[in-house]
Amino acid sequence: MPWYLYLAIKQLFPTGRRFPFFTAISVVSVSLGVALLIVVLGVMGGFGYQIRAMITDTEGEIQIKSRGLISDYPGVVKKVAAVPGVAGATPYAAGMLMVQYQNKPAFPQMRGLDLASIDRVVSLGKFVRIGSLEALDDDSVILSGGLADALGVRLGAMVDIYTPLMLAKKDGEVILPRTARVVGILEIGHQQLDSSTLYCTLRMAQDLYGLGRDVHGINLRVAPGAREEEVAARVNAILPDEVRAFSWRDSFADFLWVLQLEKNMMMFVLLFVVLVAAFLTMSLLLVLVLKKTREIGLLGALGASRRQIALCFCLQGVGVGVVGTGLGLALGFTVLHFRNDLVRAITHLTGGQELLARFYQFSELPEHLENRDLALIVVSALVLSTLAGIIPAVMAARLKPVEALRSE
Amino acid sequence: MSNSILNASGIVKTFLSGDRRIEVLRGVNLDVAAGESISIRGESGSGKSTLLHLLAGLDAPDAGTLTWEGSPDTGAKRRAAFLGIVFQSFYLIPELDALQNVLMARRIVGHIGSAERDRAKELLKRVGLAERMDHLPTQLSGGERQRVAVARALMNAPRLILADEPTGNLDEHTGSAVIELLLGLCRETGTTLVLVTHNADHAAKCGRQLVLREGRFA
Ligand SMILES: Nc1ncnc2c1ncn2[C@@H]1O[C@H](COP(=O)(O)OP(=O)(O)OP(=O)(O)O)[C@@H](O)[C@H]1O
Ligand SMILES: [Mg+2]
């Protein structure tokens, strides 16, 4: 081990002595900055990741939509399913409904599912909290948790369903709703989807909306490893112009862009915390250089070169960076791991758990730290700490041994 | 001339302090033969430390030439192997224990192996600190610290030792002990010694005694 590395380590972490003040303060400040970045970017990234998971779990990665209706959907499904990279396709019908239960009305989104092919695209079954997806037939529905709560519906209850089609009927005619049995309650974990959605069979949806044999769209599942955008492009190539395939990224492009922008801004702002920590390290190192002036003179007298003396102090900045980043990663990931307990503890003290869920659309704080962000955090913390060591190092190297030795 | 360890001739050093010129050394000539011990005395401010720094190659003279064993190379690399320095205020590194302080002299110029470790331990034994090797400088007395510094100066088996008032911070008794030790070790190992001191008794123990006055050896 070269002497300057040895001495740098010994000065940062002397054996058999208390952790020096300098090391403790600068390491703690760097690690706090790193931990903060990890936690904030982890949670921010979690939102994006969660939204992706939620969309692809319920709709597949690609949606085919038409300007009007898609007629002959079995033909389209067959053609599309043969495209390389497509693992499955299922048609759907969607729209607004009014549901009434014991005079309480609600206006949920309807999703008509093709039970024969739905499993190839999404495994909705795993979200069914009460009842089951298998029980769904043309005379029954599954409600989202929030909708069931709002209506006060239990499993097996009969609800009345009104469709916009009924408004078009002639005056004076009594509007007869369609009655359906509730055979399941489904919860995905996304506030918006869970608050008000009604799932029924495709045939029932077609009836309610008077679609005949047509559907509103087709959901696609992309084969593992295939790239959504490429698959969407390949699908588009074989579809007529009025029918288009969109990847979930296209459909949520604006939202994802805002999320990314928010994350980048957070990163930028929080990097200042690390920058301040680096300045702190630098000023403490400068004090150290002043304190050690005579030792620097001695090292020169013992034959150390200026470059080596500079390295000795620069490496102390690096050491602070490495240890601080390491501790910061540990602290950051620990906080991320216990984030929901922390949020629960905080909301317990301040109230507002529901508010949080409503505002952020998730009942649990998600977490997903992209490798790119992690690398950026680690690299910038290390680079800033190293830069913090450079100015004191240059100062130390510029001391002449004689002058350093004379500075009594 | 053939066994000259150090030769300085016509050394001139002037400091500018403000617009005053301080002519500290005005043509110092010195030739030190191998194995010699020389003492340099002089009033405070007469330029003894300045001269020693010049002889050690830590500073450059305004005029004059300096050679070590006939060679004008007085760079940092060569210095580490050629000479050892002992200062008035020890200059031990506070984070390192006695053994590591001694080893530091070697660490800067080369590899540390078990042979080097053994040598450092041996030297510490010779200066009477066998039991104090793992003590930090703050746990040692002034005299003990200076003995560590002596061991450090000897670590690289130098040809020459320059000592600048090594007893200046020590009491009479401890100071004498350190000087005896230094002289004894140099005699034993055949190392040349240049000792700057205020103390006439210490100076008298050296083979040759010089006095620096008005920038020259009187
Ligand atoms: N860098 C410098 N700038 C200005 N003057 C200096 C400098 N270095 C030394 N001097 C002056 O040179 C003179 C000799 O100093 P030096 O330290 O060599 O004396 P000394 O003989 O070692 O004294 P002492 O016995 O007190 O240690 C002093 O007057 C000092 O003020
Ligand atoms: Mg002096």
Side-chain angles (χ1 to χ4, degrees):
Chain A
M1 192 192 315
W3 71 266
Y4 42 87
L5 180 58
Y6 175 82
L7 193 58
I9 293 174
K10 281 290 180 184
Q11 292 194 331
L12 280 180
F13 313 105
T15 33
R17 275 210 315 188
R18 221 156 30 88
F19 223 51
F21 200 50
F22 157 74
T23 315
I25 292 204
S26 32
V27 162
V28 164
S29 59
V30 170
S31 58
L32 283 181
V34 168
L36 199 60
L37 274 165
I38 296 275
V39 170
V40 171
L41 294 190
V43 171
M44 297 281 295
F47 288 137
Y49 194 74
Q50 186 93 346
I51 283 164
R52 180 216 150 94
M54 187 201 64
I55 294 164
T56 56
D57 274 359
T58 54
E59 298 184 358
E61 286 100 340
I62 295 175
Q63 277 199 319
I64 296 177
K65 285 183 200 156
S66 164
R67 234 170 266 153
L69 298 170
I70 299 177
S71 43
D72 180 31
Y73 73 82
V76 179
V77 165
K78 212 169 146 195
K79 236 174 26 174
V80 164
V83 171
V86 175
T90 184
Y92 71 89
M96 200 71 164
L97 290 176
M98 182 172 120
V99 178
Q100 208 168 18
Y101 179 68
Q102 293 174 346
N103 288 333
K104 256 192 266 171
F107 302 88
Q109 289 285 337
M110 167 197 78
R111 282 197 78 81
L113 314 169
D114 178 33
L115 293 177
S117 60
I118 182 90
D119 284 344
R120 265 173 247 155
V121 179
V122 297
S123 41
L124 263 190
K126 72 177 178 198
F127 297 115
V128 178
R129 187 161 51 94
I130 302 168
S132 77
L133 194 61
E134 284 80 55
L136 191 64
D137 60 21
D138 293 344
D139 292 310
S140 57
V141 293
I142 291 177
L143 304 185
S144 69
L147 179 61
D149 288 348
L151 291 172
V153 164
R154 299 266 178 91
L155 202 64
M158 301 297 288
V159 293
D160 293 337
I161 300 171
Y162 299 81
T163 82
L165 219 59
M166 295 169 176
L167 300 175
K169 292 201 173 153
K170 282 189 211 102
D171 285 345
E173 234 176 287
V174 180
I175 299 174
L176 282 180
R178 181 158 177 167
T179 49
R181 178 183 302 277
V182 177
V183 295
I185 292 172
L186 185 147
E187 219 145 311
I188 289 165
H190 182 262
Q191 194 68 19
Q192 209 169 20
L193 292 180
D194 285 342
S195 68
S196 198
T197 311
L198 179 148
Y199 302 86
C200 59
T201 61
L202 183 62
R203 192 161 327 130
M204 185 187 207
Q206 285 169 330
D207 275 1
L208 289 169
Y209 264 71
L211 299 177
R213 303 276 306 141
D214 298 349
V215 297
H216 285 125
I218 297 170
N219 288 329
L220 298 187
R221 167 67 54 190
V222 168
R227 294 175 57 103
E228 299 143 12
E229 275 74 18
E230 288 167 12
V231 176
R234 254 178 270 156
V235 169
N236 271 328
I238 63 156
L239 287 177
D241 276 350
E242 71 275 11
V243 184
R244 294 286 83 191
F246 303 93
S247 83
W248 71 276
R249 266 182 223 280
D250 297 332
S251 318
F252 290 83
D254 291 352
F255 181 72
L256 290 176
W257 185 80
V258 169
L259 207 67
Q260 184 66 41
L261 179 76
E262 245 179 290
K263 205 170 79 173
N264 289 344
M265 290 307 288
M266 284 296 212
M267 174 91 138
F268 181 70
V269 170
L270 291 180
L271 265 181
F272 275 87
V273 177
V274 180
L275 188 68
V276 169
F279 270 110
L280 186 75
T281 307
M282 180 168 86
S283 60
L284 289 172
L285 265 177
L286 282 173
V287 171
L288 199 71
V289 169
L290 290 181
K291 215 178 92 185
K292 296 208 171 288
T293 298
R294 296 191 318 169
E295 284 165 46
I296 293 168
L298 169 87
L299 292 170
L302 288 180
S305 71
R306 281 160 190 252
R307 196 181 58 88
Q308 291 172 330
I309 289 173
L311 268 173
C312 180
F313 282 90
C314 194
L315 283 174
Q316 296 188 42
V318 175
V320 166
V322 169
V323 178
T325 306
L327 285 180
L329 290 180
L331 181 64
F333 282 113
T334 310
V335 170
L336 274 186
H337 186 257
F338 292 107
R339 66 194 180 278
N340 283 314
D341 305 278
L342 285 174
V343 169
R344 233 165 274 136
I346 291 168
T347 47
H348 187 72
L349 288 177
T350 60
Q353 169 94 63
E354 296 89 66
L355 206 73
L356 187 86
R358 199 161 69 225
F359 190 67
Y360 278 112
Q361 323 215 320
F362 301 110
S363 31
E364 296 264 280
L365 260 192
E367 172 261 323
H368 178 75
L369 193 62
E370 275 174 44
N371 288 338
R372 189 190 70 101
D373 293 337
L374 181 62
L376 209 58
I377 293 169
V378 169
V379 167
S380 42
L382 291 181
V383 166
L384 287 176
S385 307
T386 307
L387 289 179
I390 283 181
I391 289 179
V394 167
M395 222 177 89
R398 279 174 55 173
L399 285 173
K400 292 198 179 111
V402 234
E403 278 162 24
L405 287 170
R406 290 189 71 92
S407 71
E408 302 258 341
Chain B
M1 204 54 203
S2 61
N3 63 348
S4 158
I5 282 287
L6 179 142
N7 183 281
S9 62
I11 300 284
V12 174
K13 187 72 183 176
T14 308
F15 289 111
L16 286 176
S17 128
D19 39 36
R20 270 198 30 224
R21 284 163 57 87
I22 309 172
E23 297 186 345
V24 181
L25 302 176
R26 309 174 185 195
V28 172
N29 298 310
L30 178 64
D31 190 69
V32 185
E36 230 187 334
S37 62
I38 297 180
S39 71
I40 298 176
R41 285 198 295 151
E43 283 172 17
S44 182
S46 57
K48 302 181 298 295
S49 296
T50 305
L51 176 62
L52 218 62
H53 290 155
L54 287 169
L55 296 181
L58 294 174
D59 204 357
D62 297 329
T65 56
L66 171 71
T67 58
W68 291 343
E69 292 186 303
S71 154
D73 175 13
T74 58
K77 264 233 165 66
R78 186 153 178 244
R79 172 167 60 246
F82 177 71
L83 60 81
I85 315 181
V86 182
F87 297 96
Q88 179 173 345
S89 32
F90 329 134
Y91 294 144
L92 298 182
I93 294 171
E95 289 87 1
L96 304 181
D97 62 24
L99 181 64
Q100 289 300 339
N101 261 294
V102 174
L103 279 172
M104 201 66 203
R106 176 72 196 154
R107 212 179 268 282
I108 285 179
V109 288
H111 175 74
I112 299 283
S114 59
E116 284 74 22
R117 239 172 267 278
D118 290 347
R119 174 170 170 79
K121 285 180 189 162
E122 188 54 41
L123 280 167
L124 280 170
K125 246 176 242 163
R126 285 291 293 109
V127 299
L129 293 175
E131 309 299 316
R132 318 296 301 271
M133 290 188 198
D134 54 352
H135 285 203
L136 293 171
T138 46
Q139 298 166 319
L140 299 173
S141 73
E144 287 163 343
R145 286 185 220 184
Q146 194 60 297
R147 282 187 273 160
V148 174
V150 168
R152 177 176 64 191
L154 285 165
M155 178 65 205
N156 291 336
R159 306 297 315 274
L160 173 69
I161 289 211
L162 301 175
D164 189 0
E165 293 186 52
T167 60
N169 280 348
L170 304 175
D171 65 62
E172 181 78 31
H173 178 74
T174 320
S176 299
V178 167
I179 291 296
E180 288 298 344
L181 184 69
L182 196 56
L183 280 165
L185 281 170
C186 285
R187 205 172 299 134
E188 240 173 73
T189 55
T191 310
T192 314
L193 174 70
V194 174
L195 171 70
V196 167
T197 181
H198 276 300
N199 188 309
D201 293 342
H202 296 167
K205 289 175 181 155
C206 292
R208 182 148 60 113
Q209 290 139 41
L210 299 172
V211 177
L212 196 60
R213 194 172 294 143
E214 285 169 5
R216 283 190 193 85
F217 282 126

